[in-house]
Amino acid sequence: MPDEVLNDISHRRYNPLTGSWLLVSPHRTKRPWQGAQETPSKNTLPSYDPKCYLCPGNKRAQGDSNPPYKNTFAFVNDYSAVKETQQDYHPETNKDDVASLLLQARPVTGRCYVLTFSAKHDATLADMTPEEIVPVINTWTRIYASHLSPSHPLNGQAAYVLSTIPENPDGEVTPPKHQLKNMQIFENKGAAMGCSNPHPHCQIWTTSTLPEEPGKELVNMRKYKSDTGRHLLDDYVKLELEKKERLVWENDSFVVVCPWWALWPFEVLIISKRHVRALVDLDDKERLEFAQAVQEVARRYDNLFETNFPYSSGIHQAPLDCTEEEAETSWFHMHFYPPLLRSATVKKFLVGYELMAEPQRDITPEQAAAKLRDCGGELYRKSLQ
């Protein structure tokens, strides 16, 4: 265990990926809980919903019809957050012009995709088998590979992977006309995370700029490698495998941990054990084992409070357009940020001190990992059917 005194005193923990700190208050978990004890929730969704704009064969909001797909289906988001073409905007900054210094803006272009995980309206990653999740990972990989810049250090590997992963007519997309900088794959699961449609799906946003979170991680990983000659997440994986206090699950290729610096109560990281720069570095075995890791997290989450557990998750990997140093510094990992704290309805909120000062948590990552380790086994709702 970490220094025993940390179980009883308030303290700050450092996040080496972002260079930030958070407050941990473990003594607050001793407060008595008088909240409701809830019964397990059942899945009441149909396997097909004629009104769902993501189900096979149905019409979407803009009038296009979905194909009769069997597993994954990718398309350009009908309501994209960024546009591929727009009016030019190139403002100049002048130190004598206060407005140009304080009211800065920069244009962002890109393209946003939606990718369904399954044709079944009532499925989630927790319900799917690893073998059923592999086509999702294959589609992520093909889309990432098709968007790499012509000079990208991973281009040779990407070409090989594209020749080995079978095409899915419903999962292919045409790359944008202009080279983009970054691809963010993410899933918002559940209404609590702002998901507007329960049909299992994720989003893929490709943008002309490198966003804040992966940008901060890349800066800190580069600094760590420059200072030590080693990879930050390589050292961290070895440390967690040695200590096992925050380890939730592992296989030959990946570890699942509640990170030392976790902000959300049951936040986890899936990290590759070897140096994987991006999806295109994974071989067939590793893609299956990545699918196993994703399924383990989703199933354990649902089992924890016997509910359809909400979360936001996302993959961080080498940018679409980067130098060889940036590609070599990158280390493939996937974040899961769930809001639930004590039950299916009691959530953590970032309010008050956390908005005005810094993030704070009560339950320690070590306690969270222990609870998640105990949530393996069959998905709880299978016994309710």
Side-chain angles (χ1 to χ4, degrees):
M1 291 294 291
D3 294 339
E4 290 297 326
V5 68
L6 296 184
N7 291 326
D8 296 309
I9 67 168
S10 53
H11 60 279
R12 299 171 85 207
R13 295 195 182 191
Y14 180 64
N15 182 344
L17 275 177
T18 61
S20 59
W21 292 81
L22 78 152
L23 175 65
V24 183
S25 310
H27 54 284
R28 283 164 56 93
T29 60
K30 298 176 182 179
R31 293 178 300 169
W33 169 244
Q34 296 178 331
Q37 299 299 311
E38 296 152 1
T39 57
S41 64
K42 295 182 179 181
N43 190 343
T44 59
L45 295 173
S47 60
Y48 169 76
D49 183 349
K51 297 181 180 179
C52 170
Y53 61 82
L54 294 180
C55 278
N58 289 358
K59 277 191 174 184
R60 300 202 303 276
Q62 300 286 3
D64 294 331
S65 293
N66 300 329
Y69 67 91
K70 300 300 182 183
N71 42 52
T72 62
F73 167 50
F75 61 94
V76 176
N77 196 323
D78 296 320
Y79 298 97
S80 293
V82 290
K83 298 178 180 180
E84 192 170 354
T85 58
Q86 60 185 13
Q87 183 178 346
D88 286 340
Y89 179 66
H90 300 290
E92 294 183 0
T93 301
N94 185 333
K95 66 178 182 179
D96 297 322
D97 181 357
V98 174
S100 74
L101 295 176
L102 301 183
L103 308 179
Q104 294 191 38
R106 295 292 183 270
V108 181
T109 57
R111 188 189 286 181
C112 301
Y113 304 102
V114 175
L115 174 69
T116 63
F117 294 156
S118 170
K120 296 179 181 178
H121 185 73
D122 58 346
T124 69
L125 292 175
D127 297 292
M128 298 165 66
T129 65
E131 291 74 15
E132 290 172 329
I133 296 174
V134 166
V136 177
I137 296 171
N138 286 345
T139 305
W140 286 342
T141 305
R142 289 189 64 88
I143 293 176
Y144 175 85
S146 68
H147 283 64
L148 290 178
S149 72
S151 60
H152 201 287
L154 292 176
N155 254 335
Q157 181 65 19
Y160 171 74
V161 168
L162 285 173
S163 70
T164 60
I165 296 178
E167 289 188 30
N168 172 10
D170 301 320
E172 302 298 317
V173 297
T174 303
K177 298 176 181 178
H178 305 289
Q179 181 59 51
L180 298 172
K181 178 69 175 178
N182 191 70
M183 175 175 289
Q184 183 59 61
I185 299 169
F186 66 96
E187 179 194 5
N188 292 326
K189 182 194 174 192
M193 307 309 293
C195 182
S196 60
N197 189 323
H199 192 108
H201 70 284
C202 72
Q203 297 186 56
I204 304 172
W205 290 14
T206 56
T207 55
S208 57
T209 57
L210 184 62
E212 285 287 303
E213 289 305 306
K216 285 188 291 186
E217 289 189 357
L218 192 56
V219 166
N220 283 287
M221 288 191 290
R222 288 176 71 182
K223 184 178 186 305
Y224 188 90
K225 195 167 189 300
S226 175
D227 291 345
T228 68
R230 303 186 304 272
H231 285 281
L232 190 159
L233 286 179
D234 187 25
D235 279 359
Y236 184 63
V237 165
K238 291 174 181 175
L239 188 64
E240 291 292 22
L241 288 174
E242 174 190 333
K243 293 184 173 294
K244 299 188 182 303
E245 300 155 353
R246 290 164 295 277
L247 182 66
V248 176
W249 181 87
E250 66 171 309
N251 58 19
D252 289 345
S253 303
F254 293 91
V255 297
V256 176
V257 299
C258 292
W260 168 262
W261 54 82
L263 163 60
W264 296 95
F266 294 95
E267 176 181 334
V268 303
L269 263 178
I270 298 177
I271 316 173
S272 59
K273 287 185 175 180
R274 75 172 180 93
H275 185 204
V276 172
R277 299 161 293 181
L279 283 161
V280 293
D281 275 339
L282 300 175
D283 59 28
D284 289 345
K285 178 177 181 289
E286 290 170 326
R287 284 192 292 274
L288 176 58
E289 294 195 337
F290 180 39
Q292 292 170 349
V294 170
Q295 207 275 344
E296 282 289 337
V297 173
R299 191 179 75 257
R300 288 169 188 267
Y301 273 171
D302 281 14
N303 285 346
L304 181 61
F305 296 133
E306 296 187 321
T307 191
N308 215 323
F309 207 88
Y311 60 77
S312 282
S313 66
I315 292 172
H316 285 167
Q317 57 188 327
L320 297 174
D321 188 11
C322 66
T323 64
E324 184 167 355
E325 181 196 11
E326 290 171 329
E328 291 304 312
T329 300
S330 300
W331 194 285
F332 183 83
H333 59 284
M334 186 174 187
H335 296 273
F336 284 78
Y337 298 143
L340 297 188
L341 175 60
R342 291 182 182 265
S343 72
T345 57
V346 178
K347 305 176 184 66
K348 172 181 176 61
F349 295 96
L350 293 179
V351 296
Y353 184 87
E354 293 165 299
L355 290 179
M356 305 301 165
E358 68 183 4
Q360 182 271 343
R361 65 176 290 140
D362 294 345
I363 180 176
T364 66
E366 295 76 27
Q367 293 168 329
K371 290 179 181 292
L372 289 174
R373 282 196 297 268
D374 291 338
C375 290
E378 186 177 71
L379 184 64
Y380 81 92
R381 54 179 167 268
K382 287 188 175 181
S383 63
L384 301 179
Q385 298 173 351

